[in-house]
Amino acid sequence: MSLSPGVRLGPYEIVTPLGAGGMGEVYRATDPRLRREVAIKILPAGLANAPERLHRFEQEALAAASLNHPNILAVYDIGVHPSTSSGQATPYLVSELLEGVTLRETLESGSVPVRKALDYAVQIANGLAAAHEKGIVHRDLKPENLFVTRDGRIKILDFGLAKLTQTEPAPADVSNLVTGMQKTEPGMIVGTVGYMSPEQVRGAAADHRSDIFSFAVVLYELLSGRRPFAGPSAVETMSAILTQDPVDLVGRDRPVPPALDRIIRRCLEKSPEQRFQSARDLAFNLEALSTDSAARTAAAEPSASGGRRSRALPAMVVGLLVVAAAAVGFLASSRLGGPRSPTFTRLTLRRGTVQSARFAADGQTIVYSAAWQGRAPEVFSMRVGSTESRSLELIGARILSLSPAGDMAVRLSNGTLARAPLAGGSPREIVEHVLDAAWAPDGSTLAVVRTAGGRRRLEFPPGTVLYETAGSISDLAVAPDGASIVFAEAPPGIGPVLSIGLIDVRGARRTVSTGWRAIHGIVWPRPGGEILFAASRTLYGAGTIYGITPAGRLREVTKVPGDLNLYDALPDGRMLLGRADVRLEARGLTAGDSRERDLSWFDFTGLSDLTPDGRTILMTEDGEAGLHVYLRKTDGSPAVQLGEGGAFGLSPDQRSVIVARLGSGLGILPVGAGDFRFIPHPGFDGYLWANWFPDGKRLLVAASEAGHGLRLYVETADGSDRHPLAPEGIIIQTGARAISPDGMVVAALQNGRIVLCPVEGGQPRPLAGLAPGDFPSGWSADGRSLYVFRRDELPTRVFRVDVATGRKDLWKEVGPSDASGVTGIGHLLITPDGVSYVYNYVRSLSDLYLVEGLK
């Protein structure tokens, strides 16, 4: 069929046709409700009633709609137009409207430069990684399904052949659809000849590694202008895929870096077991290659005049290391004063999160904490040169430090510091309320960071306070001579600037370096040597290792793409690094839904508030896209950006948002037209939390005044009047719905326990029946009950607690079905009627690497 301009499909009005293919016709259309242009895809005439085509069309919508990634086409809606002039129902899919060309159109002019091909490849691999981590395999990757927008961004299109390898329980109306998607008839060939993997050609089961093969075919064609497997007929092409190796890219008329050629060849292995085992690792290799100047200049691409640009290679060497059949090496560069080839060996091969790692005194034993396959964290030991790990039976514990004598300092799940022998034995508890710890070089005592009254204390030895702050202290490292301690420090508030501090045993403190947005690990490996740390001056990630002298002389040691954690280093230059993909995700269940919906927008979606009807969430995106405030409907509609900053709470009339902005402080941002209005807070150092009272005229603010700890204040919305609500040390859990519906009581935390603070004055009283670690989530509509949960369990049990009697009733268990890389729930917001809820969790998928050659 062909739709004319002005025809409506549901709420959408057709503007003009954009194109057609085997899977459907595409039109430009407008959505008058949101005043934006969209793309609408419908089934071709005569196929709307074909069960297989309809199934594949619905399959594309279901697969693509579950993905939210900048390199994947965003799907907004799906529907069925009741009838057309022919009397036939019209299924349609609504997506973002793209401006640009497909890779096929790009290839009509021949191959593309190496640097541009690498850029495209990294984006495609990242998009595939996001899909694969959701259990979705594309199965038809080819240049026609890869779109280049006008700003150079790649978008993966057409998940019509996608296969859901993991599915959550589906509602009744799509149960048959999900079953159908999981089943592919044996011997059925699905895909496009020339881009199929060997297993697709054979009609065998094809998993995510099939996409990796097809990806390499596309990349090969981008670099050479021709496909690696091509024959005069489809049969001969399929035979080449099964039996032949492609022509070398290195040494052709457009030379390709050997490291890139090796990456492609590994992806094109006939056996899936010999390819990269994840698109995430593939993306990491490509990113490392694309960011290293040696790889860029080695291409020696033609200049505009037809000659070749020739540059001397810098003092760096890119190495690609394959460490085992299932292990993945990756690339890095070093700036240590001369040509070096640092080697990166992947030590852990399971799906989950590495939390910390330390070398033992022999330099050959490694002790690390990790949570694999959604299970509780454990402490493991392994030997260098082996990929096998042994559990030390410390469930829920985290290794903080390891003494020369083999004594482990571990943080138990209840926040208590314990000492345990590496050789085996039960841990002995030492100190409570500990966040971090580090052994002195002689193994005689520990430096610790503890919480007390809402403040952080650096103690050395435990009990002797060297330094105290209302902000945070982390990443302790005791100097090799035991005379001083280095640590990361941040003031309270949104997006603080981090510093590296140095304090001696007498308490004399100074700042070694400042201006950092992320610090992920500090070590001090050699007497008289540099302090090493992983850090970034941007808001997200820490992809660079730096060295700095105690006097403040800074240098870059090595840089790799991604988010790094520096766990430990030895005097001989060996390091333990963690490479992580960290995302803050959001899910929720609202009235009328039978299962939870993924409400994540970008890569770090922080939940700030939920409207009482459960229809709208207030979010803060705090990842690579920057720090911005968004509103989003819980039906999965696209988020709407309101402005810069970190959001705290939505006003009762839903017209204003309390926002903290970097460098500006706290203020009010209108939801509609208007400007950000700064609220003066003289004397405040930083803000932990803020929200509206039900009257819409007052604010509850958790902040710290100069020289004091965190405290709760009640103030007017214009900042003209302010008074403290409770003593120092009583804080609000970020994101909680803390204020009772009548505005008379605030649920807060004191020494880890929930207390109820009367707004009109009086002493806070503990809420009976609860234990340390129980967090408030929100009030019932009548104000008689409080919802509480624990952040350290997964799934978390949510209880409804009677505030008068302390009686606890289990309300619900909440948590993502795929718990890999998730260790707990961060924020949980529940509507007063108890019908709708949304929650946050961090998903950190990481691996441990041994690095050698970086002295």
Side-chain angles (χ1 to χ4, degrees):
M1 62 172 291
S2 179
L3 299 180
S4 302
V7 169
R8 284 187 174 270
L9 294 182
Y12 307 99
E13 182 175 332
I14 298 298
V15 176
T16 185
L18 293 175
M23 278 300 295
E25 300 172 358
V26 183
Y27 293 84
R28 180 191 296 266
T30 59
D31 182 349
R33 300 166 302 174
L34 296 176
R35 298 179 182 178
R36 67 177 176 188
E37 290 192 315
V38 297
I40 291 187
K41 183 175 186 177
I42 66 169
L43 284 181
L47 294 178
N49 292 327
E52 179 192 2
R53 288 291 194 184
L54 182 59
H55 167 75
R56 286 172 61 186
F57 188 79
E58 292 173 334
Q59 180 175 339
E60 175 182 356
L62 183 62
S66 69
L67 301 173
N68 183 13
H69 191 273
N71 297 121
I72 297 175
L73 180 74
V75 171
Y76 298 148
D77 194 8
I78 187 173
V80 177
H81 191 58
S83 64
T84 64
S85 57
S86 64
Q88 185 179 35
T90 306
Y92 62 87
L93 179 149
V94 185
S95 67
E96 63 179 314
L97 180 66
L98 302 178
E99 301 287 348
V101 296
T102 66
L103 272 189
R104 173 60 65 207
E105 294 170 280
T106 300
L107 282 168
E108 290 175 358
S109 301
S111 61
V112 302
V114 173
R115 279 176 285 185
K116 182 173 288 188
L118 264 175
D119 176 44
Y120 291 165
V122 168
Q123 294 187 60
I124 298 167
N126 280 326
L128 287 176
H132 293 170
E133 287 162 10
K134 292 276 191 178
I136 298 172
V137 182
H138 192 285
R139 296 201 299 174
D140 194 25
L141 204 66
K142 56 187 177 182
E144 288 82 354
N145 286 337
L146 296 164
F147 196 92
V148 186
T149 65
R150 289 179 177 175
D151 61 357
R153 173 163 287 181
I154 289 285
K155 294 279 187 177
I156 304 175
L157 314 178
D158 198 355
F159 275 84
L161 294 177
K163 176 184 178 183
L164 294 180
T165 59
Q166 299 174 355
T167 58
E168 296 181 350
D173 61 337
V174 295
S175 59
N176 292 333
L177 177 62
V178 174
T179 302
M181 283 187 289
Q182 289 178 310
K183 293 181 179 180
T184 300
E185 294 297 327
M188 180 182 294
I189 297 176
V190 182
T192 300
V193 175
Y195 299 92
M196 292 182 181
S197 65
E199 54 268 33
Q200 284 180 296
V201 170
R202 290 192 296 267
D207 60 17
H208 64 280
R209 295 169 297 184
S210 176
D211 281 351
I212 290 175
F213 185 96
S214 301
F215 160 87
V217 174
V218 173
L219 180 53
Y220 186 103
E221 187 173 2
L222 283 174
L223 293 165
S224 66
R226 55 180 293 181
R227 290 184 309 210
F229 309 104
S233 67
V235 172
E236 290 168 291
T237 298
M238 289 190 286
S239 176
I241 292 171
L242 293 173
T243 62
Q244 296 178 14
D245 291 325
V247 176
D248 287 346
L249 288 170
V250 177
R252 296 172 62 86
D253 56 351
R254 183 183 290 273
V256 171
L260 179 56
D261 182 64
R262 288 194 295 270
I263 290 174
I264 294 172
R265 289 191 171 277
R266 184 169 181 187
C267 295
L268 292 176
E269 289 286 351
K270 308 299 183 187
S271 169
E273 288 74 20
Q274 295 179 2
R275 299 173 202 151
F276 283 93
Q277 297 300 292
S278 79
R280 186 68 63 197
D281 284 326
L282 171 60
F284 183 77
N285 278 271
L286 292 166
E287 286 170 350
L289 184 59
S290 66
T291 58
D292 190 273
S293 58
R296 293 197 300 266
T297 58
E301 296 165 5
S303 66
S305 61
R308 294 194 177 271
R309 295 178 293 198
S310 176
R311 300 177 185 172
L313 288 176
M316 305 179 195
V317 178
V318 177
L320 178 65
L321 295 151
V322 179
V323 297
V328 179
F330 63 80
L331 305 164
S333 60
S334 173
R335 296 179 175 89
L336 295 178
R340 297 185 185 275
S341 296
T343 61
F344 294 72
T345 303
R346 183 175 170 185
L347 301 177
T348 56
L349 306 174
R350 300 169 71 183
R351 178 177 165 85
T353 305
V354 177
Q355 297 179 328
S356 58
R358 300 291 185 270
F359 284 110
D362 62 6
Q364 299 301 310
T365 302
I366 296 169
V367 181
Y368 70 94
S369 307
W372 298 130
Q373 276 83 40
R375 293 194 288 269
E378 293 183 62
V379 180
F380 300 87
S381 70
M382 67 184 308
R383 298 284 293 175
V384 173
S386 171
T387 56
E388 296 296 327
S389 298
R390 175 175 66 92
S391 174
L392 299 183
E393 305 301 329
L394 294 170
I395 308 301
R398 177 173 181 164
I399 178 74
L400 299 179
S401 189
L402 189 56
S403 78
D407 287 326
M408 296 183 293
V410 297
R411 184 179 186 271
L412 305 181
S413 58
N414 62 2
T416 299
L417 179 67
R419 181 172 180 167
L422 180 57
S426 300
R428 178 171 63 86
E429 296 185 357
I430 303 173
V431 184
E432 293 182 325
H433 309 303
V434 169
L435 301 176
D436 200 2
W439 282 104
D442 60 5
S444 61
T445 189
L446 286 155
V448 301
V449 177
R450 302 175 66 190
T451 59
R455 296 174 68 83
R456 304 291 187 266
R457 291 177 177 173
L458 172 56
E459 302 176 5
F460 183 56
T464 301
V465 179
L466 295 183
Y467 180 56
E468 184 174 335
T469 177
S472 67
I473 304 173
S474 63
D475 301 287
L476 293 186
V478 182
D481 61 5
S484 55
I485 301 166
V486 64
F487 56 93
E489 180 181 8
I494 293 289
V497 175
L498 280 69
S499 302
I500 295 178
L502 186 66
I503 193 167
D504 64 25
V505 295
R506 298 181 302 276
R509 179 195 169 277
R510 60 187 175 87
T511 297
V512 177
S513 180
T514 190
W516 304 98
R517 292 296 186 185
I519 297 177
H520 294 176
I522 301 175
V523 295
W524 200 340
R526 292 191 300 275
E530 293 175 316
I531 301 163
L532 302 175
F533 64 102
S536 171
R537 295 194 185 276
T538 63
L539 277 172
Y540 183 80
T544 305
I545 304 295
Y546 294 93
I548 192 169
T549 66
R553 187 170 67 251
L554 182 71
R555 71 180 177 94
E556 182 180 303
V557 175
T558 192
K559 183 175 184 178
V560 298
D563 196 2
L564 290 183
N565 288 284
L566 174 59
Y567 295 130
D568 204 358
L570 294 175
D572 63 10
R574 287 183 294 160
M575 297 182 188
L576 291 175
L577 292 182
R579 196 259 177 180
D581 177 30
V582 183
R583 294 176 177 272
L584 182 60
E585 301 180 354
R587 298 186 67 83
L589 181 75
T590 54
D593 289 339
S594 58
R595 61 173 180 172
E596 291 181 354
R597 186 190 305 272
D598 186 351
L599 296 172
S600 309
W601 187 237
F602 291 141
D603 56 335
F604 227 73
T605 303
L607 295 173
S608 303
D609 211 345
L610 172 68
T611 56
D613 61 7
R615 296 180 182 275
T616 305
I617 52 175
L618 176 67
M619 314 184 309
T620 299
E621 280 293 343
D622 188 16
E624 292 192 13
L627 189 64
H628 294 93
V629 179
Y630 287 84
L631 279 180
R632 189 180 191 190
K633 297 294 185 182
T634 52
D635 62 4
S637 302
V640 177
Q641 185 183 133
L642 301 183
E644 297 180 354
F648 285 132
L650 189 62
S651 63
D653 61 9
Q654 300 181 25
R655 294 181 179 180
S656 303
V657 177
I658 294 292
V659 171
R661 284 190 171 174
L662 301 179
S664 299
L666 202 64
I668 297 177
L669 180 69
V671 171
D675 298 321
F676 175 83
R677 176 169 60 83
F678 172 72
I679 302 175
H681 286 94
F684 276 8
D685 281 344
Y687 314 95
L688 176 68
W689 182 89
N691 212 333
W692 301 83
F693 275 89
D695 60 16
K697 299 177 181 179
R698 295 173 299 161
L699 305 176
L700 180 66
V701 178
S704 61
E705 294 182 281
H708 294 274
L710 286 167
R711 192 171 188 178
L712 298 181
Y713 297 86
V714 178
E715 65 175 35
T716 56
D718 60 4
S720 61
D721 182 56
R722 178 176 74 205
H723 66 271
L725 171 68
E728 289 184 25
I730 295 181
I731 62 173
I732 298 291
Q733 181 207 354
T734 305
R737 301 176 64 89
I739 307 172
S740 63
D742 60 7
M744 300 302 292
V745 181
V746 172
L749 296 172
Q750 184 177 34
N751 296 325
R753 290 182 177 269
I754 297 177
V755 294
L756 302 179
C757 303
V759 174
E760 298 300 325
Q763 292 298 314
R765 69 174 180 88
L767 183 58
L770 301 181
D774 288 335
F775 281 85
S777 175
W779 292 83
S780 62
D782 59 10
R784 296 179 179 179
S785 301
L786 189 69
Y787 294 100
V788 302
F789 72 105
R790 297 189 66 88
R791 300 172 70 180
D792 57 0
E793 65 178 19
L794 196 70
T796 187
R797 291 170 298 167
V798 185
F799 292 91
R800 184 167 170 150
V801 182
D802 187 298
V803 297
T805 66
R807 174 181 172 179
K808 291 175 63 175
D809 295 311
L810 181 64
W811 176 70
K812 189 181 289 290
E813 285 194 352
V814 171
S817 58
D818 177 9
S820 298
V822 182
T823 56
I825 302 299
H827 300 156
L828 172 64
L829 301 173
I830 304 171
T831 54
D833 60 9
V835 173
S836 304
Y837 65 89
V838 293
Y839 63 94
N840 260 144
Y841 53 91
V842 174
R843 188 185 299 279
S844 176
L845 299 176
S846 57
D847 297 292
L848 181 62
Y849 287 85
L850 172 65
V851 186
E852 299 175 272
L854 290 176
K855 285 190 177 181

